[in-house]
Amino acid sequence: MDDYACLICTSIAFKPVRLGCGHLFCVRCLVKMQRAGKGECPLCRSQVVLLANKDSLDMTLMRFMKDWFPKEVKEKQRENEREIAHEHAGAIVGAYHGGPSDGDRCVVM
């Protein structure tokens, strides 16, 4: 399983992206790095992160992991969906309150 883990979040590399340097990350971690403007691979420091696109998705590995690690792939997919929903909710609350700030977080008790 370690061979198929994202080197950032250490869980299975859901929708695995192989960078030009050969290192593997899950698409979610890669997108976070790109949004933050981080261009260097966290392992080898090659300037390849911002060059990654849909062609960097390793489809063969993705199919392999779905076949051999279905439980882990489904859990990672659910985790990603929860994280995306949380980000969208935060953006909506921030827009409603005139912009995000620490005091504007929605808390349900």
Side-chain angles (χ1 to χ4, degrees):
M1 178 75 165
D2 290 341
D3 292 337
Y4 309 108
C6 171
L7 298 169
I8 294 176
C9 67
T10 67
S11 66
I12 194 162
F14 178 70
K15 293 188 179 178
V17 175
R18 188 155 317 268
L19 297 178
C21 60
H23 291 118
L24 184 74
F25 301 96
C26 62
V27 70
R28 190 90 179 115
C29 288
L30 180 75
V31 167
K32 288 178 186 178
M33 286 190 295
Q34 288 179 332
R35 285 183 181 162
K38 296 179 181 177
E40 292 182 346
C41 171
L43 280 114
C44 68
R45 305 294 181 218
S46 296
Q47 291 290 329
V48 293
V49 171
L50 298 176
L51 301 175
N53 58 30
K54 62 182 173 84
D55 296 328
S56 304
L57 193 62
D58 191 330
M59 297 300 290
T60 303
L61 183 57
M62 187 166 78
R63 284 189 293 274
F64 174 83
M65 289 192 303
K66 281 184 178 181
D67 289 344
W68 290 96
F69 303 105
K71 183 177 123 187
E72 292 84 354
V73 167
K74 285 181 184 178
E75 178 55 35
K76 181 67 176 198
Q77 184 175 8
R78 283 192 293 269
E79 182 183 315
N80 285 352
E81 289 168 355
R82 285 190 299 268
E83 189 175 330
I84 289 167
H86 180 72
E87 287 173 0
H88 287 310
I92 291 169
V93 169
Y96 178 75
H97 288 288
S101 73
D102 288 352
D104 290 336
R105 296 186 191 210
C106 179
V107 178
V108 178
M109 297 187 178

